[in-house]
Amino acid sequence: MSNKITTDLLEFIENSPSCFHAVQTTKEILTKHGFTELSEDQTWNLTPGNDYFVTRNGSSIIAFSIPESVVLQNGFRIIASHSDSPSFKIKENPEMAVEDHYIKLNVERYGGMLCAPWFDRPLSVAGRVIVKENGTYCAKLINADRDLLLIPNLAIHMNRDANSGYAYNAQKDLLPLYGDISAKDTFLDTISKYAGVEKEEILSHDLFLYNRQKGTLWGANEEFLSATRLDDLQCACASLYGLLGADRKQAVSVHCVLDNEEVGSTTKQGAASTFLRDTLFRICTVFGMDTQDYFIALSKSFMISADNAHAVHPNHTDKADPVNRPYLNEGIVIKYNANQKYCTDGISAAMFKDICKQVDVPYQTFTNRSDMAGGSTLGNISNTQVALNTVDIGLPQLAMHSPYETAGVKDTEYLLKAAKAFFA
C-alpha cells in the first residue's frame, strides 16, 4: 500500500480544523487541478471537458466534471460525505469571569460527542467571523493556530465517583478555560488578530473548538492512524483524490461534501437541503435538457454515501453484530439497516461490491446488533431531495465522535481506489 494518501489525509485534516476550513482546503486542491469556481447567484456557462465546483454557506461544496461528450444519458456518479464533526460551538458573549480570577468561555455542544476525551488536552478555536466590506457581508476564516484553551478535569479527590461513571453537565463541566482575570474582554481581540480584522468590524461569528493534537501513525507496524475529525474527513479526502485520479469520461462525476450531518442535515447546506438537487438540475439545463430529461438522468445515476463506520472494538467485542463484524485495515464497510437508517439495498450493494471486485478492493459489512439502535447518515436524507440508487458505506474506525479517533492506514487507500474506479 502507498503512504501518499495517508500523508495527503493528515495534511488535509491539519488544514481543516472546522467545516469551513475543510471546504476551503478542498477548494484549493480543486483549483490546483484546474477546476473553475461557480457561484449560485450567477449564470453558469459550462463547457464539455471542463471541471467546476460550487459552494454553499462556505461549509458545503459540490465539485463536478463534465465529459467531452456530455453523456448525461449515463446520469451522474456521485460520492457524498460531510464536512462537520461533533465539537463545541462558542456562544455569543462567550466570556465568563469566575470569582475575579479566571476567564472561561461559554460554549454549547454541537452533535453527539464523546465528552470525556475533550478534557485535559490543548484546544483552540476555528471557524469564521462575519464583517462588512464595501456594503457586502464577508466571511473571514479564522484558525487561532496555537494552544489557546483547555477543559480541566475535576480532581479525583473532589469527585470520588469519577471512575464509576459520570453524567457531564454541558453548562457546568464542559466550559473551557481561556485565561486568568487579565484575559478579561480580550477574546474577540484574539479572534480579530487571527482573522486579520479589527475587533469592531466583527458583526457575528461561527466558531468551534478543535483538538490541537496532530494526527499520528502508531501500532506495532504503524498500521493504525489516529487524528481529529476522521469522521468524516477520511471519506471526504479519499473520495476527492479518487475523483482527481479518475478518467472521468463516461458520466458526470460529482464530489459532494455537505455540512451539518452531525445535527440532522436539516439546513440550507445540509443533505436535506436543495443544494445537490439544484446543482444537478442546473447542469442539465445548461446543456439544453428539460425537467423530463433531468428525471431520466437521475434514474440512471448512482450515489455512494460515504460516512465512516464502526469497527469491532477490541475491548467491547460484544457490542458488534454476531456476524457482520468490520475490522480496521480489512476494507470498505457496506452499511445495512432494515429500518432504512442506511439506504443500502440489494441492488446498490451489488453494484458497489462489483466496483470493489473490479479493482481488487476488499469490503466488509456492518449492521447494528438487533437489540441496539444505530445512527443514521446523509444517504437516506439526501434521497428525499434527489432520489436515486444509493449505497451507504464508510471506513471502519474506533472511538467515533471522540476528538481523537482511530482508523486503519490501509482503508483510506481502499476507498481512494474504489472511488477512482467508480468515477471512471
Side-chain angles (χ1 to χ4, degrees):
M1 302 292 289
S2 167
N3 285 326
K4 185 179 187 309
I5 185 57
T6 301
T7 301
D8 289 340
L9 172 61
L10 289 175
E11 181 179 356
F12 190 92
I13 291 173
E14 182 75 13
N15 293 332
S16 304
S18 76
C19 56
F20 307 105
H21 289 82
V23 166
Q24 180 62 32
T25 301
T26 302
K27 286 175 58 175
E28 292 171 358
I29 294 170
L30 290 168
T31 301
K32 287 179 182 178
H33 285 80
F35 282 67
T36 300
E37 183 168 10
L38 303 170
S39 177
E40 287 196 287
D41 63 0
Q42 296 177 4
T43 299
W44 290 7
N45 296 302
L46 308 179
T47 305
N50 285 4
D51 309 305
Y52 304 91
F53 67 86
V54 60
T55 65
R56 182 177 285 186
N57 190 54
S59 59
S60 293
I61 186 168
I62 299 177
F64 56 92
S65 295
I66 307 295
E68 288 282 0
S69 53
V70 198
V71 283
L72 282 168
Q73 62 268 27
N74 289 343
F76 301 94
R77 303 291 177 265
I78 306 166
I79 300 184
S81 52
H82 64 88
S83 60
D84 61 322
S85 298
S87 182
F88 293 92
K89 192 173 192 292
I90 294 176
K91 292 183 179 180
E92 296 295 309
N93 307 309
E95 290 190 20
M96 299 174 67
V98 181
E99 297 188 353
D100 206 31
H101 285 277
Y102 303 122
I103 299 296
K104 61 184 179 180
L105 299 184
N106 198 11
V107 299
E108 57 185 321
R109 292 168 60 173
Y110 174 91
M113 67 180 62
L114 284 169
C115 294
W118 282 90
F119 286 87
D120 304 326
R121 65 169 73 236
L123 307 172
S124 195
V125 176
R128 68 180 179 184
V129 299
I130 308 301
V131 300
K132 196 172 185 179
E133 294 181 347
N134 301 318
T136 302
Y137 299 106
C138 303
K140 302 286 187 180
L141 293 191
I142 171 262
N143 175 14
D145 191 13
R146 68 179 180 90
D147 299 342
L148 183 65
L149 304 164
L150 188 139
I151 305 173
N153 250 308
L154 182 61
I156 189 70
H157 314 77
M158 301 173 185
N159 184 12
R160 295 289 183 181
D161 296 327
N163 293 327
S164 301
Y166 185 76
Y168 295 105
N169 183 299
Q171 190 63 65
K172 182 176 178 63
D173 298 310
L174 300 173
L175 303 187
L177 181 62
Y178 169 59
D180 61 22
I181 197 61
S182 67
K184 183 176 173 59
D185 298 326
T186 68
F187 178 69
L188 276 185
D189 291 302
T190 300
I191 296 305
S192 64
K193 180 181 72 172
Y194 284 101
V197 299
E198 298 297 322
K199 178 174 71 172
E200 293 73 23
E201 296 180 76
I202 297 176
L203 300 175
S204 190
H205 54 75
D206 294 300
L207 300 173
F208 297 85
L209 304 192
Y210 74 93
N211 173 24
R212 292 279 296 165
Q213 188 172 355
K214 294 184 182 297
T216 186
L217 303 182
W218 60 278
N221 298 298
E222 293 193 335
E223 64 267 52
F224 302 129
L225 164 73
S226 289
T228 185
R229 290 167 50 77
L230 285 176
D231 173 21
D232 190 32
L233 295 188
Q234 189 180 18
C235 286
C237 180
S239 59
L240 171 63
Y241 282 104
L243 174 80
L244 297 176
D247 185 14
R248 309 181 294 273
K249 295 180 179 178
Q250 300 304 312
V252 177
S253 299
V254 182
H255 170 71
C256 179
V257 183
L258 301 170
D259 192 11
N260 303 129
E261 189 277 339
E262 299 294 359
V263 291
S265 295
T266 55
T267 59
K268 66 182 182 297
Q269 61 274 354
S273 76
T274 62
F275 187 30
L276 179 59
R277 184 184 73 190
D278 294 346
T279 301
L280 301 183
F281 186 72
R282 288 183 76 163
I283 294 170
C284 289
T285 58
V286 168
F287 292 104
M289 300 175 67
D290 59 20
T291 303
Q292 288 263 37
D293 296 323
Y294 168 69
F295 289 128
I296 292 170
L298 284 188
S299 72
K300 297 180 179 180
S301 300
F302 191 81
M303 182 165 73
I304 297 172
S305 167
D307 190 5
N308 271 5
H310 300 290
V312 173
H313 195 291
N315 295 337
H316 300 278
T317 57
D318 59 309
K319 295 295 185 180
D321 181 77
V323 176
N324 300 284
R325 304 174 67 81
Y327 297 95
L328 304 184
N329 288 313
E330 295 190 19
I332 300 170
V333 180
I334 303 173
K335 302 191 284 188
Y336 296 82
N337 183 267
N339 295 306
Q340 295 300 293
K341 295 295 186 180
Y342 305 127
C343 53
T344 306
D345 59 21
I347 294 173
S348 63
M351 296 172 73
F352 185 74
K353 289 177 181 179
D354 192 45
I355 293 168
C356 291
K357 289 177 180 178
Q358 289 176 28
V359 289
D360 197 27
V361 165
Y363 59 82
Q364 311 176 76
T365 55
F366 171 84
T367 62
N368 290 296
R369 282 176 52 117
S370 299
D371 56 358
M372 292 177 63
S376 61
T377 184
L378 49 85
N380 55 340
I381 297 172
S382 64
N383 264 221
T384 63
Q385 294 289 339
V386 182
L388 40 76
N389 280 324
T390 304
V391 63
D392 268 305
I393 62 101
L395 298 180
Q397 72 165 89
L398 301 172
M400 186 177 289
H401 290 192
S402 167
Y404 207 64
E405 301 168 318
T406 293
V409 169
K410 295 180 181 179
D411 294 316
T412 313
E413 185 160 350
Y414 289 143
L415 180 54
L416 184 153
K417 290 177 65 177
K420 184 177 177 180
F422 172 68
F423 285 128

